[in-house]
């Protein structure tokens, strides 16, 4: 039987200013602190490859885009700054040469780029020059992506902790301990950071002081990051289900489990137009109704889908382990366009100014547009 546990005390709502993207920017994983994965632009009717950048090693990190510059990490340990218009490198910053950057995706705010590496070091880098501002050492590898909330930057670590740091200095202001890895990126609502943990709990942590305000048992090991929409958190788990958590009611609103295909969900959802879209390790991309969890459509790829989708207008963009980038119709799931790279994708796309930017595990960063 599935259990539902709630931390004692009322849910505290604390006002905190979240870093918001420019009208057509993508400054962090999933674009906004709510992690919805929705672009502020639409895509042209026809797409072509505009340029390819060779990072030189595998890229699992998802790109951030701010001020016409792309920031993305690679397994060589380099944080790359790439010109969006031309694909030319602006600078590189070396983090951990031995272990490199894994899935941690950069966040950009106030002229600083933040990213974690697999040596457990969290870096703040000057966005203009590529020079280090400061570093902070956690107790284990970092696969979570940072989120900037006012003067705080939050980062999870495989040491089981979520850290709240001073964004300007890197000083640790608080730490919140869980019972397993913190893999997911926290989503922010009303001054509280929400994430599903590898300890099978859904956590709510106050940004100002790191106090835990929500702890729900979901009986599902979770690596995916939750997308927030209208007070509900949506995410998939390694228990082969997708969960909607009503934050205000502090309960699971619905669960989706495919009766025929029992596979984990690693992909983080995108939410728009009354649906959530995510990839599955059963090789499918799915759209589920936000209100009920009922399937809207399913699209089959040729390999598991660990990358997270992005939504731009009436289009869904997602990469698959089969080495293809797919553009699907949001309403029907029908294929609109595809590109075959030959190497799989675990990096998730960023979309700005009518352009798609995404990287593959062979280390190629692609830009597609008109």
């Amino acid at each position: 039987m599935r259990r539902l546990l709630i931390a004692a005390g009322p849910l505290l709502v604390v006002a905190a200013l979240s870093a918001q993207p420019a009208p057509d920017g993508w400054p962090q994983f999933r674009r906004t602190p709510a992690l919805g994965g929705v672009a502020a632009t639409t895509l042209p009717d026809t797409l072509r490859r505009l340029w390819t950048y060779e990072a030189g090693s595998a890229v699992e990190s998802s790109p951030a885009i701010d001020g016409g510059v792309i920031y993305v990490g690679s397994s060589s340990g380099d944080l790359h700054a790439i010109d969006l218009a031309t694909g030319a490198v602006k600078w590189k910053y070396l983090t951990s040469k031995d272990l490199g950057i894994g899935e941690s995706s950069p966040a950009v705010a106030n002229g600083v780029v933040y990213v974690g590496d697999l040596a457990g070091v969290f870096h703040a880098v000057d966005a203009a020059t590529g020079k280090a501002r400061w570093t902070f050492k956690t107790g284990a590898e970092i696969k979570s992506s940072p989120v900037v909330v006012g003067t705080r930057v939050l980062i999870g670590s495989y040491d089981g902790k979520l850290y709240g740091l001073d964004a300007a200095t890197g000083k640790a202001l608080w730490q919140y301990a869980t019972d397993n890895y913190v893999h997911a990126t926290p989503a922010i609502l009303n001054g509280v950071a929400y994430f599903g943990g590898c300890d099978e709990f859904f956590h709510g942590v106050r940004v100002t002081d790191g106090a835990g305000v929500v702890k729900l048992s979901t009986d599902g090991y979770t690596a995916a990051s939750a997308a927030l929409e209208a007070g509900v958190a949506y995410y998939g788990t390694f228990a082969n289900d997708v969960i909607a958590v009503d934050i205000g009611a502090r309960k699971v609103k619905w669960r989706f489990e495919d009766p025929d295909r029992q596979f984990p969900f690693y992909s983080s959802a995108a939410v728009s137009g009354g649906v959530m879209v995510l990839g599955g390790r059963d090789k499918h991309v799915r759209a589920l109704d936000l209100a009920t969890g009922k399937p809207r459509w399913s699209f089959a790829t040729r390999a598991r889908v660990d990358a997270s989708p992005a939504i731009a207008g009436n289009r869904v963009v997602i990469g698959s382990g089969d080495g293809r980038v797919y553009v699907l119709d949001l309403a029907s799931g029908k294929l609109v366009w595809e590109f075959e790279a030959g190497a799989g994708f675990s990096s998730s796309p960023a979309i700005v100014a009518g352009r798609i930017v995404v990287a593959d595990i062979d280390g190629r960063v692609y830009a597609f547009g008109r």
Side-chain angles (χ1 to χ4, degrees), residues 2 235-237 239-244 252-263 265 276 278 280 282 284-289 292-298:
R2 299 186 186 273
Y235 62 97
T237 80
N240 308 327
D241 59 8
V242 181
I243 298 175
V252 174
K253 181 180 178 181
W254 54 252
R255 292 179 186 270
F256 165 81
E257 296 183 57
D258 191 309
D260 302 316
R261 306 183 68 83
Q262 297 292 300
F263 287 85
F265 292 92
M276 65 177 294
L278 78 169
D282 65 347
H284 283 66
V285 182
R286 285 183 174 80
L288 305 177
D289 187 276
T292 65
K294 303 295 184 185
R296 291 279 192 93
W297 52 258
S298 178

Side-chain angles (χ1 to χ4, degrees), residues 63-80:
I65 307 174
D66 183 70
V69 181
I70 301 161
Y71 303 94
V72 69
S74 65
S75 63
S76 64
D78 288 311
L79 174 65
H80 304 256

Side-chain angles (χ1 to χ4, degrees), residues 56-273:
S57 61
V59 177
E60 295 179 280
S61 175
S62 299
I65 307 174
D66 183 70
V69 181
I70 301 161
Y71 303 94
V72 69
S74 65
S75 63
S76 64
D78 288 311
L79 174 65
H80 304 256
I82 307 162
D83 186 84
L84 174 63
T86 66
V89 64
K90 297 179 74 69
W91 52 254
K92 295 181 187 180
Y93 167 85
L94 183 61
T95 60
S96 167
K97 183 170 71 171
D98 294 331
L99 296 176
I101 298 173
E103 296 168 47
S104 185
S105 302
V108 192
N110 303 314
V112 182
V113 188
Y114 303 93
V115 71
D117 67 30
L118 295 177
V121 180
F122 186 56
H123 302 260
V125 182
D126 188 280
T129 66
K131 304 298 183 183
R133 291 279 190 94
W134 52 258
T135 60
F136 177 83
K137 184 74 167 71
T138 73
E141 63 196 88
I142 297 173
K143 294 188 176 182
S144 175
S145 301
V147 178
V148 179
V149 190
T151 60
R152 308 280 198 267
V153 57
L154 309 186
I155 189 67
S157 171
Y158 266 45
D159 64 9
K161 296 173 183 175
L162 178 70
Y163 292 89
L165 309 178
D166 184 283
T169 67
K171 178 183 177 181
L173 302 174
W174 53 258
Q175 58 187 40
Y176 172 85
T178 73
D179 294 325
N180 207 332
Y181 311 135
V182 178
H183 182 103
T185 299
I188 311 300
L189 176 65
N190 294 331
V192 178
Y194 295 100
F195 63 97
C198 296
D199 59 359
E200 303 187 3
F201 284 89
F202 179 75
H203 299 269
V205 182
R206 200 162 54 207
V207 171
T208 53
D209 59 8
V213 296
V214 174
K215 189 176 182 182
L216 307 179
S217 176
T218 56
D219 289 339
Y221 182 104
T222 304
S225 303
L228 304 183
E229 176 75 10
V232 181
Y234 301 92
Y235 62 97
T237 80
F238 271 64
N240 308 327
D241 59 8
V242 181
I243 298 175
V245 175
D246 187 317
I247 293 170
R250 306 188 213 177
K251 67 178 183 180
V252 174
K253 181 180 178 181
W254 54 252
R255 292 179 186 270
F256 165 81
E257 296 183 57
D258 191 309
D260 302 316
R261 306 183 68 83
Q262 297 292 300
F263 287 85
F265 292 92
Y266 195 82
S267 168
S268 299
V271 292
S272 181

